[in-house]
Structures are given as C-alpha cells and as structure tokens.
C-alpha cells in the first residue's frame, strides 16, 4: 500500500477524536507515532474583547470573546475538538458574533493555555470550563456548541450544570460509547491500517493525547428540557478504513442518535456535504443550528 494512502487511512478515525491538528494524527507524524478549584463568578468584571489569558484556579487559560453582551441573552461558548484550539473556530466565532456574544477557549494542553499537571478526566476539564464560564459568562445563560471531543465534553458537562447551560449544539461530537464502539468495530485480530487505527485510538482514549484527557464511555444523562441540536457528518469518510470502515460509520451514526437522549427537545440533522469538520465544510449548517438554539434560549429567558 502506498505510504500516503496508508497515513490517510490511519488518520481517518483519529481525526474524529482529536482533530486534524493533533500530534500523531497528521501525515508523516501519524506514520511515525508510537502509541504507547474554579474561580468564583465575576459579574462585575469588564467584558473581555478579543483574545486574552485568564486565571482559572492558578492556571492560565487562553480565551477569546467577541460580540456585544446583552442582558438576558445567552452567551455562546464554542468548544474545539481535540488537537485543535480556539483559532480553528475563529471564522465560526466571527460569523456568530455579528448578532451574539460568543466566546471560545483553549482547554489545558491545547492552544495557548497551560499544560495540565497530569492526567485529566471529565470532572477536571469540567472544573476548568466552570472557571471559564464564571469569568466570561457570569450569570448569563449559556449555549455550549462543541465539535468532536469538545462536543463530548459539553454533553457530559451540561447535565450537572443545568443552572447555566440552557442549550447545546453538538457538531459531529465524539459518541458517548466510542471506546466500546472502536473495540467492537475493529477486532483485536485486525491487521494492517485497521489495526493501527484501533491501536492509535485506544491509546488516545487512555490519555495519550495533547490534553492528557482520559476519555471514558458512559450513559447519556438528561440535561433538562433544553434545546439540543445534533449535527452529524454526511460524507462517509470513515469508510476509508479497509474492511471495517462501514462498521465504524454505522457505530458513529448510532452514537449521534444516542445524544438525542440529552433532552426531549433534541433534534438530529445531517450536514450532507460535510466530513468531520462541519463548521469548516458546511459552515451555514453550524451557524444556523447555533443561532436556532440561541434564539430558543433567549425566548425562554424572556418568558416568551
């Protein structure tokens, strides 16, 4: 098999979890990779404009905010995929900020934020998110819009923070049972590129990723009766994995449907012309979904 094709196939599923920019998930790097307490709310602080660093429990976190704050309207928080950073979301943030207050941030281990002290889990990365929201959203309602791993983190965070998370948009979010899905879709007996995809991704889920985040499977819990939009990719790029690609696509699709259990007001749609990066390949689909959810949250906040 030509080397270029091999690296593309091995990177395909890795990209769904950690994004194209992840260490060990792009091109030649993939070929050679060896897969071995929050701040208090500060409503009186001046609104952030542009990109800056904030302190969250003694750690430096890179944040970016744009758009005019408006009392009672939700703040949109964009959450990048693994291996990416807030810079990847810049165009989406710019589009949304014409009519909304929008912020994004680099999680620990990503972009220009500090490195984590050690392994992270959903609880620790959630504490950082809480600290970020305390500073950039204060008491405003929040809409979390996450891509890939960012979507998984958002969906795990929302059920425990129903007092502030009032809407969710998941853009091809990593499914809630992806670890089991990979293990079942690609058997341990697999050979060649498929075996590499399996090994690479199991290592990633164990914490061998830039954020040192240990990614565990879990049941989907209710986030309350909030508006939720789940957008899945339409181009079956996972089919590039030899022999097991169709299984992976089916598992991914089933995983997107599982996220509908977050709320009785959940909706699933398909970005037919998009691969994994929906907000890049089909930005209108992402913008419209986020704006729909934001508008519903705003109406509810005003008692409409």
């Amino acid at each position: 098999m030509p080397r270029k094709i091999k690296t593309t196939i091995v990177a395909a599923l890795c990209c769904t979890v950690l994004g194209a920019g992840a260490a060990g998930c792009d091109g030649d790097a993939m070929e050679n990779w060896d897969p071995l307490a929050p701040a208090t709310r500060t409503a009186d602080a001046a609104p952030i404009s542009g990109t800056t660093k904030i302190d969250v429990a003694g750690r430096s976190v890179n944040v970016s905010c744009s758009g005019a704050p408006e009392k009672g309207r939700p703040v949109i928080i964009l959450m990048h995929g693994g291996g990416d950073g807030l810079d990847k979301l810049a165009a989406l943030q710019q589009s949304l900020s014409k009519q909304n207050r929008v912020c994004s941030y680099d999680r620990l281990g990503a972009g220009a934020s500090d490195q984590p002290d050690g392994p992270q889990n959903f609880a620790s990365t959630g504490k950082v998110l809480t600290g970020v929201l305390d500073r950039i959203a204060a008491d405003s309602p929040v809409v979390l819009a996450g891509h890939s791993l960012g979507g998984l983190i958002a969906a795990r965070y929302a059920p425990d923070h129903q007092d502030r998370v009032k809407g969710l948009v998941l853009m091809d979010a990593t499914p809630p049972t992806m670890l089991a899905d990979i293990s079942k879709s690609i058997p341990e007996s697999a050979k060649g590129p498929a075996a590499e995809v399996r090994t690479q991704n199991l290592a990633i889920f164990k914490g061998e990723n830039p954020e040192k985040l240990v990614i565990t499977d879990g049941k989907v819990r209710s986030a309350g009766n909030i508006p939720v939009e789940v957008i899945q990719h339409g181009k079956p790029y996972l089919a590039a994995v030899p022999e097991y690609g169709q299984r992976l696509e089916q598992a991914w699709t089933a995983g997107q449907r599982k996220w509908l259990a977050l709320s009785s007001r959940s909706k699933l749609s398909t970005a037919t012309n998009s691969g994994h990066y929906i907000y890049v390949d089909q930005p209108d689909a992402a913008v419209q979904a986020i704006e729909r959810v934001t508008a519903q949250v705003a109406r509810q906040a005003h008692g409409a």
Side-chain angles (χ1 to χ4, degrees):
M1 179 182 294
R3 186 171 182 274
K4 183 175 181 181
I5 296 176
K6 179 182 177 183
T7 57
T8 299
I9 290 173
V10 175
L13 187 56
C14 182
C15 176
T16 70
V17 179
L18 285 188
C25 290
D26 59 330
D28 292 343
M30 171 64 78
E31 177 75 9
N32 299 316
W33 185 50
D34 181 18
L36 299 173
T40 55
R41 299 189 187 190
T42 50
D44 56 341
I48 293 171
S49 180
T51 303
T52 189
K53 303 284 184 66
I54 65 171
D55 179 88
V56 177
R59 310 312 303 275
S60 178
V61 176
N62 192 44
V63 302
S64 173
C65 290
S66 51
E70 184 178 335
K71 188 173 179 60
R73 278 191 63 83
V75 177
I76 300 168
I77 309 297
L78 304 179
M79 301 182 64
H80 62 78
D84 294 330
L86 62 79
D87 58 326
K88 185 84 174 181
L89 297 161
L92 176 62
Q93 182 166 328
Q94 182 179 19
S95 295
L96 290 166
S97 64
K98 294 174 183 176
Q99 297 181 355
N100 303 279
R101 176 67 169 169
V102 190
C103 297
S104 56
Y105 76 106
D106 291 327
R107 294 187 294 274
L108 295 184
S113 289
D114 279 353
Q115 295 296 309
D117 290 329
Q120 296 196 91
N121 54 31
F122 288 128
S124 61
T125 198
K127 287 180 180 178
V128 174
L129 175 54
T130 295
V132 170
L133 295 182
D134 287 344
R135 174 63 181 88
I136 64 180
D139 294 317
S140 297
V142 168
V143 171
L144 299 181
H147 169 249
S148 195
L149 179 58
L152 173 61
I153 293 170
R156 292 288 188 223
Y157 181 86
D160 294 325
H161 298 85
Q162 297 181 36
D163 61 322
R164 68 195 322 176
V165 180
K166 301 301 183 181
L168 283 171
V169 178
L170 307 182
M171 298 173 282
D172 222 35
T174 302
T177 55
M178 195 62 191
L179 182 59
D181 294 343
I182 294 170
S183 300
K184 292 177 182 177
S185 298
I186 306 178
E188 195 172 356
S189 59
K191 306 295 183 183
E196 292 185 47
V197 167
R198 187 182 196 276
T199 300
Q200 304 266 5
N201 280 270
L202 293 183
I204 286 167
F205 275 76
K206 290 177 182 177
E208 295 182 28
N209 57 69
E211 299 174 40
K212 299 180 183 178
L213 176 64
V214 178
I215 306 165
T216 54
D217 287 351
K219 293 183 179 180
V220 178
R221 295 178 297 127
S222 172
N225 188 31
I226 64 173
V228 176
E229 292 219 18
V230 180
I231 316 172
Q232 64 184 357
H233 67 260
K235 291 184 176 179
Y237 67 93
L238 295 177
V241 179
E243 190 175 352
Y244 305 103
Q246 190 56 41
R247 290 188 192 178
L248 290 170
E249 282 289 349
Q250 291 172 350
W252 189 269
T253 299
Q256 301 308 296
R257 289 196 295 269
K258 289 176 183 177
W259 285 129
L260 296 177
L262 281 162
S263 171
S264 60
R265 296 170 65 192
S266 296
K267 172 185 175 183
L268 174 66
S269 62
T270 302
T272 55
N273 297 319
S274 177
H276 185 49
Y277 280 85
I278 292 169
Y279 65 91
V280 174
D281 296 341
Q282 204 170 332
D284 285 351
V287 169
Q288 290 167 13
I290 295 170
E291 289 188 334
R292 280 194 299 268
V293 168
T294 301
Q296 291 177 65
V297 173
R299 286 196 297 271
Q300 186 170 323
H302 287 93

